[in-house]
Coordinates of all heavy atoms in Angstrom, one line a residue:
G1 N -6.2 -1.3 -5.6 CA -6.1 -2.1 -4.5 C -6.1 -3.6 -4.8 O -6.1 -4.5 -3.9
S2 N -6.1 -4.0 -6.1 CA -6.1 -5.4 -6.5 C -4.9 -6.1 -6.0 O -5.0 -7.3 -5.6 CB -6.2 -5.5 -8.0 OG -7.4 -5.0 -8.5
C3 N -3.7 -5.5 -6.0 CA -2.5 -6.2 -5.6 C -2.2 -6.0 -4.1 O -1.0 -6.3 -3.7 CB -1.3 -5.6 -6.4 SG -0.8 -3.9 -6.0
R4 N -3.2 -5.7 -3.3 CA -2.9 -5.6 -1.8 C -2.6 -7.0 -1.3 O -3.2 -8.0 -1.7 CB -4.1 -5.0 -1.1 CG -5.3 -5.8 -1.1 CD -6.5 -5.0 -0.5 NE -7.7 -5.7 -0.4 CZ -8.6 -5.9 -1.4 NH1 -8.3 -5.4 -2.6 NH2 -9.7 -6.6 -1.2
A5 N -1.7 -7.0 -0.3 CA -1.4 -8.3 0.3 C -1.2 -8.1 1.8 O -0.7 -7.1 2.2 CB -0.1 -8.8 -0.3
Q6 N -1.6 -9.1 2.6 CA -1.3 -9.1 4.0 C 0.1 -9.5 4.3 O 0.6 -10.4 3.7 CB -2.2 -10.1 4.7 CG -3.7 -9.6 4.7 CD -4.6 -10.6 5.5 OE1 -4.2 -11.8 5.6 NE2 -5.7 -10.2 6.0
V7 N 0.8 -8.7 5.1 CA 2.2 -9.0 5.4 C 2.3 -9.9 6.7 O 1.9 -9.6 7.8 CB 3.0 -7.7 5.7 CG1 4.4 -8.0 6.0 CG2 2.8 -6.7 4.6
A8 N 2.7 -11.2 6.4 CA 2.8 -12.1 7.5 C 4.1 -12.0 8.2 O 4.3 -12.4 9.4 CB 2.7 -13.6 7.0
G9 N 5.1 -11.3 7.6 CA 6.4 -11.1 8.2 C 7.4 -10.6 7.2 O 7.2 -10.9 6.0
G10 N 8.4 -9.9 7.6 CA 9.4 -9.5 6.7 C 9.6 -8.0 6.6 O 9.0 -7.2 7.4
A11 N 10.4 -7.5 5.7 CA 10.8 -6.1 5.6 C 10.5 -5.6 4.2 O 10.8 -6.3 3.2 CB 12.3 -5.9 5.9
Y12 N 10.0 -4.4 4.1 CA 9.7 -3.7 2.8 C 9.7 -2.2 3.0 O 9.7 -1.7 4.1 CB 8.4 -4.2 2.3 CG 7.2 -3.8 3.1 CD1 6.5 -2.6 2.8 CD2 6.8 -4.5 4.2 CE1 5.4 -2.2 3.6 CE2 5.7 -4.1 5.0 CZ 5.0 -2.9 4.6 OH 4.0 -2.5 5.4
A13 N 9.7 -1.5 1.8 CA 9.7 -0.1 1.9 C 8.8 0.4 0.7 O 8.8 -0.2 -0.3 CB 11.1 0.5 1.8
R14 N 8.2 1.6 0.9 CA 7.4 2.2 -0.2 C 8.4 2.8 -1.2 O 9.5 3.3 -0.9 CB 6.5 3.3 0.3 CG 5.3 2.8 1.1 CD 4.3 4.0 1.3 NE 3.8 4.4 0.0 CZ 2.8 3.9 -0.7 NH1 2.0 2.9 -0.1 NH2 2.4 4.3 -1.9
I15 N 8.0 2.7 -2.5 CA 8.8 3.2 -3.6 C 8.5 4.7 -3.7 O 9.4 5.5 -4.0 CB 8.4 2.5 -4.9 CG1 8.8 1.1 -4.8 CG2 9.1 3.2 -6.1 CD1 8.4 0.2 -6.0
A16 N 7.3 5.2 -3.4 CA 6.9 6.6 -3.5 C 5.9 6.8 -2.5 O 5.1 5.9 -2.1 CB 6.4 6.9 -4.9
P17 N 5.8 8.1 -2.0 CA 4.7 8.4 -1.0 C 3.3 8.3 -1.6 O 3.2 8.5 -2.8 CB 5.1 9.8 -0.6 CG 5.8 10.4 -1.7 CD 6.6 9.3 -2.3
P18 N 2.3 7.9 -0.8 CA 1.0 7.8 -1.3 C 0.4 9.2 -1.7 O 0.9 10.2 -1.3 CB 0.2 7.3 -0.1 CG 1.0 7.7 1.1 CD 2.4 7.6 0.6
T19 N -0.5 9.2 -2.6 CA -1.2 10.4 -3.1 C -2.7 10.3 -2.7 O -3.1 9.3 -2.2 CB -1.1 10.5 -4.6 OG1 -1.9 9.5 -5.3 CG2 0.4 10.4 -5.1
E20 N -3.5 11.3 -3.1 CA -4.9 11.2 -2.8 C -5.6 10.1 -3.6 O -6.7 9.7 -3.2 CB -5.5 12.6 -3.1 CG -5.4 13.0 -4.6 CD -6.1 14.3 -4.9 OE1 -6.4 15.0 -3.9 OE2 -6.3 14.6 -6.1
R21 N -5.0 9.6 -4.6 CA -5.6 8.6 -5.4 C -5.2 7.2 -4.9 O -5.7 6.2 -5.4 CB -5.2 8.7 -6.9 CG -5.7 10.0 -7.5 CD -5.4 9.9 -9.0 NE -6.1 11.0 -9.7 CZ -6.0 11.2 -11.0 NH1 -5.4 10.3 -11.8 NH2 -6.6 12.2 -11.6
T22 N -4.2 7.1 -4.1 CA -3.7 5.8 -3.6 C -4.8 5.0 -2.8 O -5.4 5.6 -1.9 CB -2.4 5.9 -2.8 OG1 -1.5 6.6 -3.6 CG2 -1.9 4.6 -2.4
Y23 N -4.9 3.7 -3.1 CA -5.8 2.9 -2.3 C -5.3 2.8 -0.9 O -4.1 2.6 -0.7 CB -5.8 1.5 -3.0 CG -6.7 0.5 -2.2 CD1 -8.0 0.3 -2.6 CD2 -6.2 -0.3 -1.2 CE1 -8.8 -0.6 -2.0 CE2 -7.0 -1.2 -0.5 CZ -8.3 -1.4 -0.9 OH -9.1 -2.3 -0.3
V24 N -6.2 2.9 0.0 CA -5.8 2.9 1.5 C -5.8 1.5 2.0 O -6.9 0.9 2.0 CB -6.7 3.8 2.3 CG1 -6.3 3.8 3.8 CG2 -6.7 5.3 1.8
T25 N -4.7 0.9 2.3 CA -4.6 -0.4 2.8 C -4.8 -0.5 4.3 O -4.7 0.5 5.0 CB -3.2 -1.0 2.5 OG1 -2.2 -0.2 3.1 CG2 -3.0 -1.1 1.0
A26 N -5.1 -1.7 4.8 CA -5.2 -1.9 6.3 C -3.8 -1.8 6.9 O -2.8 -1.9 6.1 CB -5.8 -3.3 6.5
A27 N -3.7 -1.8 8.2 CA -2.4 -1.6 8.8 C -1.4 -2.8 8.5 O -0.2 -2.6 8.5 CB -2.6 -1.5 10.3

């Protein structure tokens, strides 16, 4: 979760689906 960032605007896509180990980010 160190590289989490708040999205102020713009477009993006996930590279791979999350797994059970993936850090859960805010909406």
Side-chain angles (χ1 to χ4, degrees):
S2 297
C3 70
R4 66 188 184 277
Q6 292 180 334
V7 182
Y12 65 94
R14 287 196 62 90
I15 295 173
T19 69
E20 62 179 12
R21 294 186 174 185
T22 301
Y23 180 91
V24 179
T25 58

